Amino acid sequence: MTRDGETGRHGLPLVLVVEDEEALVQLLRYNLEKAGFAVCEARDGDEALVLATERKPDLVLLDWMLPGTSGIEVCRQLRRLADQRTVPIVMLTARGEEADRIRGLDMGVDDYVAKPFSMSELVARVRAVLRRARPQLVAELLQHGGLVMDLATHRVSRDGRDVHLGPTEYRLLRHLMQNPGRIYSREQLLDAVWGHDVTVELRTVDVHVRRLRKAINGPGERDLVRTVRSAGYGLDERS
Ligand code: CA
């Protein structure tokens, strides 16, 4: 079962929190969102595996002690899913024993945070793991083909010229620049940029891609957005 009421991603890195303690989940959600992440939640291992497949999180925060399937078993199964094989996993554990840590490392856990932990420590560890595994997602400056996006000031330029974007075009471009070389279907862009449960028509994506092109491509300049017929959109890979 997936859980409704998730905040939309809006191009933010998505963390899947797998934990059965409601109070801790709320605390994690609050602090991760405050730190600029989008969050989705699972209360047990089965729900986690379903959500991981559906939402393709950028990082999984996984509790060791879960009802039913244990955290370490969830980890093992995640590593078997083709599109989750490389997703960074941070394990929450009350068990600091050496044997458990080694078992976890064998399963491809990227880092451990031992309970009890401070929220600032946890956010710092999540950020550090993401920086290692997916540097584009936590970079302050994104660059591609003469385009520069400053994530702190929201300024965008192309070859030194200021580019003015509406909020949707900004999020769309940020998502594409965070994943250069990838082609996204219109459904995937809707999910990542507009949010999971927003009802927007697919052709809305086309409208905003057109606006984005108009804003970033000056007269006579190379089109930096790629359209792949019947597949979707991405950034031009020559850069
Ligand atoms: Ca637990």
mmCIF file of all heavy atoms in Angstrom, residues 128-153:
data_model
loop_
_atom_site.group_PDB
_atom_site.id
_atom_site.type_symbol
_atom_site.label_atom_id
_atom_site.label_comp_id
_atom_site.label_asym_id
_atom_site.label_seq_id
_atom_site.Cartn_x
_atom_site.Cartn_y
_atom_site.Cartn_z
ATOM 1 N N ALA A 128 25.826 13.916 2.895
ATOM 2 C CA ALA A 128 27.163 13.426 2.545
ATOM 3 C C ALA A 128 27.077 12.194 1.637
ATOM 4 O O ALA A 128 27.818 12.083 0.666
ATOM 5 C CB ALA A 128 27.952 13.109 3.815
ATOM 6 N N VAL A 129 26.158 11.297 1.959
ATOM 7 C CA VAL A 129 26.007 10.089 1.130
ATOM 8 C C VAL A 129 25.532 10.474 -0.266
ATOM 9 O O VAL A 129 26.037 9.973 -1.272
ATOM 10 C CB VAL A 129 25.040 9.079 1.798
ATOM 11 C CG1 VAL A 129 24.638 7.980 0.833
ATOM 12 C CG2 VAL A 129 25.685 8.478 3.038
ATOM 13 N N LEU A 130 24.570 11.403 -0.329
ATOM 14 C CA LEU A 130 24.067 11.838 -1.639
ATOM 15 C C LEU A 130 25.165 12.541 -2.440
ATOM 16 O O LEU A 130 25.254 12.381 -3.641
ATOM 17 C CB LEU A 130 22.901 12.817 -1.455
ATOM 18 C CG LEU A 130 21.505 12.253 -1.590
ATOM 19 C CD1 LEU A 130 20.486 13.373 -1.499
ATOM 20 C CD2 LEU A 130 21.317 11.499 -2.912
ATOM 21 N N ARG A 131 25.977 13.323 -1.750
ATOM 22 C CA ARG A 131 27.037 14.058 -2.442
ATOM 23 C C ARG A 131 27.999 13.076 -3.099
ATOM 24 O O ARG A 131 28.484 13.312 -4.198
ATOM 25 C CB ARG A 131 27.773 14.967 -1.454
ATOM 26 C CG ARG A 131 28.633 16.024 -2.136
ATOM 27 C CD ARG A 131 29.229 17.000 -1.144
ATOM 28 N NE ARG A 131 28.209 17.796 -0.487
ATOM 29 C CZ ARG A 131 28.049 17.899 0.828
ATOM 30 N NH1 ARG A 131 28.838 17.240 1.639
ATOM 31 N NH2 ARG A 131 27.092 18.653 1.330
ATOM 32 N N ARG A 132 28.262 11.965 -2.401
ATOM 33 C CA ARG A 132 29.148 10.941 -2.953
ATOM 34 C C ARG A 132 28.490 10.209 -4.104
ATOM 35 O O ARG A 132 29.078 10.013 -5.144
ATOM 36 C CB ARG A 132 29.490 9.928 -1.854
ATOM 37 C CG ARG A 132 30.918 9.968 -1.455
ATOM 38 C CD ARG A 132 31.373 8.892 -0.500
ATOM 39 N NE ARG A 132 30.411 8.048 0.135
ATOM 40 C CZ ARG A 132 30.069 8.132 1.422
ATOM 41 N NH1 ARG A 132 30.600 9.050 2.188
ATOM 42 N NH2 ARG A 132 29.198 7.298 1.937
ATOM 43 N N ALA A 133 27.231 9.802 -3.901
ATOM 44 C CA ALA A 133 26.571 8.914 -4.860
ATOM 45 C C ALA A 133 25.954 9.687 -6.026
ATOM 46 O O ALA A 133 25.976 9.223 -7.154
ATOM 47 C CB ALA A 133 25.495 8.101 -4.154
ATOM 48 N N ARG A 134 25.374 10.842 -5.764
ATOM 49 C CA ARG A 134 24.687 11.613 -6.797
ATOM 50 C C ARG A 134 25.032 13.101 -6.665
ATOM 51 O O ARG A 134 24.193 13.895 -6.237
ATOM 52 C CB ARG A 134 23.173 11.436 -6.673
ATOM 53 C CG ARG A 134 22.758 9.989 -6.426
ATOM 54 C CD ARG A 134 21.720 9.512 -7.416
ATOM 55 N NE ARG A 134 21.711 8.067 -7.452
ATOM 56 C CZ ARG A 134 20.604 7.317 -7.529
ATOM 57 N NH1 ARG A 134 19.434 7.884 -7.574
ATOM 58 N NH2 ARG A 134 20.683 6.013 -7.598
ATOM 59 N N PRO A 135 26.277 13.435 -6.994
ATOM 60 C CA PRO A 135 26.751 14.801 -6.737
ATOM 61 C C PRO A 135 25.876 15.892 -7.366
ATOM 62 O O PRO A 135 25.735 16.962 -6.787
ATOM 63 C CB PRO A 135 28.169 14.818 -7.323
ATOM 64 C CG PRO A 135 28.318 13.564 -8.107
ATOM 65 C CD PRO A 135 27.315 12.586 -7.596
ATOM 66 N N GLN A 136 25.264 15.580 -8.507
ATOM 67 C CA GLN A 136 24.441 16.600 -9.178
ATOM 68 C C GLN A 136 23.271 17.048 -8.309
ATOM 69 O O GLN A 136 22.797 18.167 -8.410
ATOM 70 C CB GLN A 136 23.856 16.053 -10.486
ATOM 71 C CG GLN A 136 24.891 15.614 -11.478
ATOM 72 C CD GLN A 136 25.452 16.786 -12.260
ATOM 73 O OE1 GLN A 136 25.330 17.932 -11.859
ATOM 74 N NE2 GLN A 136 26.068 16.485 -13.381
ATOM 75 N N LEU A 137 22.792 16.128 -7.450
ATOM 76 C CA LEU A 137 21.579 16.414 -6.687
ATOM 77 C C LEU A 137 21.810 17.385 -5.537
ATOM 78 O O LEU A 137 20.890 18.048 -5.094
ATOM 79 C CB LEU A 137 21.001 15.113 -6.115
ATOM 80 C CG LEU A 137 20.283 14.225 -7.115
ATOM 81 C CD1 LEU A 137 19.872 12.933 -6.459
ATOM 82 C CD2 LEU A 137 19.076 14.936 -7.684
ATOM 83 N N VAL A 138 23.031 17.450 -5.039
ATOM 84 C CA VAL A 138 23.269 18.328 -3.897
ATOM 85 C C VAL A 138 24.240 19.458 -4.231
ATOM 86 O O VAL A 138 24.681 20.177 -3.360
ATOM 87 C CB VAL A 138 23.771 17.535 -2.659
ATOM 88 C CG1 VAL A 138 22.625 16.780 -2.017
ATOM 89 C CG2 VAL A 138 24.881 16.588 -3.038
ATOM 90 N N ALA A 139 24.551 19.583 -5.519
ATOM 91 C CA ALA A 139 25.460 20.655 -5.929
ATOM 92 C C ALA A 139 24.790 22.007 -5.718
ATOM 93 O O ALA A 139 23.578 22.131 -5.754
ATOM 94 C CB ALA A 139 25.832 20.468 -7.396
ATOM 95 N N GLU A 140 25.593 23.030 -5.487
ATOM 96 C CA GLU A 140 25.065 24.386 -5.367
ATOM 97 C C GLU A 140 24.951 25.034 -6.743
ATOM 98 O O GLU A 140 24.107 25.873 -6.973
ATOM 99 C CB GLU A 140 26.002 25.238 -4.502
ATOM 100 C CG GLU A 140 26.089 24.765 -3.070
ATOM 101 C CD GLU A 140 24.943 25.290 -2.234
ATOM 102 O OE1 GLU A 140 24.826 26.517 -2.133
ATOM 103 O OE2 GLU A 140 24.179 24.471 -1.709
ATOM 104 N N LEU A 141 25.851 24.632 -7.616
ATOM 105 C CA LEU A 141 25.866 25.172 -8.977
ATOM 106 C C LEU A 141 25.706 24.024 -9.948
ATOM 107 O O LEU A 141 26.425 23.040 -9.883
ATOM 108 C CB LEU A 141 27.222 25.816 -9.272
ATOM 109 C CG LEU A 141 27.459 27.295 -9.009
ATOM 110 C CD1 LEU A 141 28.778 27.700 -9.647
ATOM 111 C CD2 LEU A 141 26.339 28.177 -9.528
ATOM 112 N N LEU A 142 24.758 24.134 -10.857
ATOM 113 C CA LEU A 142 24.622 23.133 -11.910
ATOM 114 C C LEU A 142 25.073 23.777 -13.213
ATOM 115 O O LEU A 142 24.747 24.929 -13.486
ATOM 116 C CB LEU A 142 23.160 22.697 -12.036
ATOM 117 C CG LEU A 142 22.524 22.039 -10.816
ATOM 118 C CD1 LEU A 142 21.052 21.746 -11.082
ATOM 119 C CD2 LEU A 142 23.254 20.754 -10.467
ATOM 120 N N GLN A 143 25.831 23.026 -14.002
ATOM 121 C CA GLN A 143 26.323 23.580 -15.259
ATOM 122 C C GLN A 143 26.110 22.583 -16.380
ATOM 123 O O GLN A 143 26.299 21.393 -16.208
ATOM 124 C CB GLN A 143 27.815 23.880 -15.139
ATOM 125 C CG GLN A 143 28.100 24.836 -14.003
ATOM 126 C CD GLN A 143 29.495 25.412 -14.079
ATOM 127 O OE1 GLN A 143 29.957 25.775 -15.148
ATOM 128 N NE2 GLN A 143 30.149 25.487 -12.945
ATOM 129 N N HIS A 144 25.750 23.125 -17.530
ATOM 130 C CA HIS A 144 25.573 22.261 -18.704
ATOM 131 C C HIS A 144 25.540 23.116 -19.966
ATOM 132 O O HIS A 144 24.711 24.022 -20.077
ATOM 133 C CB HIS A 144 24.274 21.451 -18.586
ATOM 134 C CG HIS A 144 24.111 20.442 -19.680
ATOM 135 N ND1 HIS A 144 24.575 19.155 -19.567
ATOM 136 C CD2 HIS A 144 23.584 20.551 -20.916
ATOM 137 C CE1 HIS A 144 24.321 18.500 -20.699
ATOM 138 N NE2 HIS A 144 23.712 19.330 -21.527
ATOM 139 N N GLY A 145 26.445 22.820 -20.879
ATOM 140 C CA GLY A 145 26.424 23.469 -22.196
ATOM 141 C C GLY A 145 26.325 24.988 -22.153
ATOM 142 O O GLY A 145 25.583 25.569 -22.931
ATOM 143 N N GLY A 146 27.069 25.621 -21.228
ATOM 144 C CA GLY A 146 27.032 27.081 -21.143
ATOM 145 C C GLY A 146 25.956 27.594 -20.199
ATOM 146 O O GLY A 146 25.930 28.772 -19.854
ATOM 147 N N LEU A 147 25.063 26.697 -19.797
ATOM 148 C CA LEU A 147 24.035 27.078 -18.828
ATOM 149 C C LEU A 147 24.606 26.947 -17.420
ATOM 150 O O LEU A 147 25.279 25.961 -17.118
ATOM 151 C CB LEU A 147 22.834 26.137 -18.911
ATOM 152 C CG LEU A 147 21.755 26.362 -19.946
ATOM 153 C CD1 LEU A 147 20.754 25.220 -19.857
ATOM 154 C CD2 LEU A 147 21.061 27.705 -19.755
ATOM 155 N N VAL A 148 24.325 27.915 -16.574
ATOM 156 C CA VAL A 148 24.710 27.828 -15.164
ATOM 157 C C VAL A 148 23.479 28.120 -14.324
ATOM 158 O O VAL A 148 22.787 29.114 -14.544
ATOM 159 C CB VAL A 148 25.831 28.837 -14.821
ATOM 160 C CG1 VAL A 148 26.187 28.738 -13.336
ATOM 161 C CG2 VAL A 148 27.067 28.582 -15.666
ATOM 162 N N MET A 149 23.188 27.227 -13.377
ATOM 163 C CA MET A 149 22.068 27.454 -12.471
ATOM 164 C C MET A 149 22.614 27.495 -11.049
ATOM 165 O O MET A 149 23.262 26.551 -10.603
ATOM 166 C CB MET A 149 21.038 26.327 -12.610
ATOM 167 C CG MET A 149 19.916 26.412 -11.577
ATOM 168 S SD MET A 149 18.689 25.097 -11.817
ATOM 169 C CE MET A 149 17.675 25.804 -13.109
ATOM 170 N N ASP A 150 22.363 28.597 -10.364
ATOM 171 C CA ASP A 150 22.780 28.734 -8.974
ATOM 172 C C ASP A 150 21.584 28.384 -8.093
ATOM 173 O O ASP A 150 20.590 29.107 -8.068
ATOM 174 C CB ASP A 150 23.247 30.173 -8.719
ATOM 175 C CG ASP A 150 23.827 30.333 -7.318
ATOM 176 O OD1 ASP A 150 23.342 29.660 -6.379
ATOM 177 O OD2 ASP A 150 24.767 31.135 -7.173
ATOM 178 N N LEU A 151 21.697 27.260 -7.389
ATOM 179 C CA LEU A 151 20.544 26.765 -6.632
ATOM 180 C C LEU A 151 20.279 27.585 -5.371
ATOM 181 O O LEU A 151 19.186 27.546 -4.826
ATOM 182 C CB LEU A 151 20.760 25.294 -6.251
ATOM 183 C CG LEU A 151 20.824 24.338 -7.431
ATOM 184 C CD1 LEU A 151 21.146 22.928 -6.952
ATOM 185 C CD2 LEU A 151 19.537 24.336 -8.226
ATOM 186 N N ALA A 152 21.288 28.317 -4.919
ATOM 187 C CA ALA A 152 21.095 29.129 -3.716
ATOM 188 C C ALA A 152 20.345 30.415 -4.062
ATOM 189 O O ALA A 152 19.428 30.818 -3.356
ATOM 190 C CB ALA A 152 22.443 29.445 -3.087
ATOM 191 N N THR A 153 20.721 31.053 -5.171
ATOM 192 C CA THR A 153 20.103 32.342 -5.516
ATOM 193 C C THR A 153 19.011 32.200 -6.578
ATOM 194 O O THR A 153 18.336 33.178 -6.899
ATOM 195 C CB THR A 153 21.166 33.303 -6.079
ATOM 196 O OG1 THR A 153 21.705 32.726 -7.280
ATOM 197 C CG2 THR A 153 22.288 33.527 -5.089
#
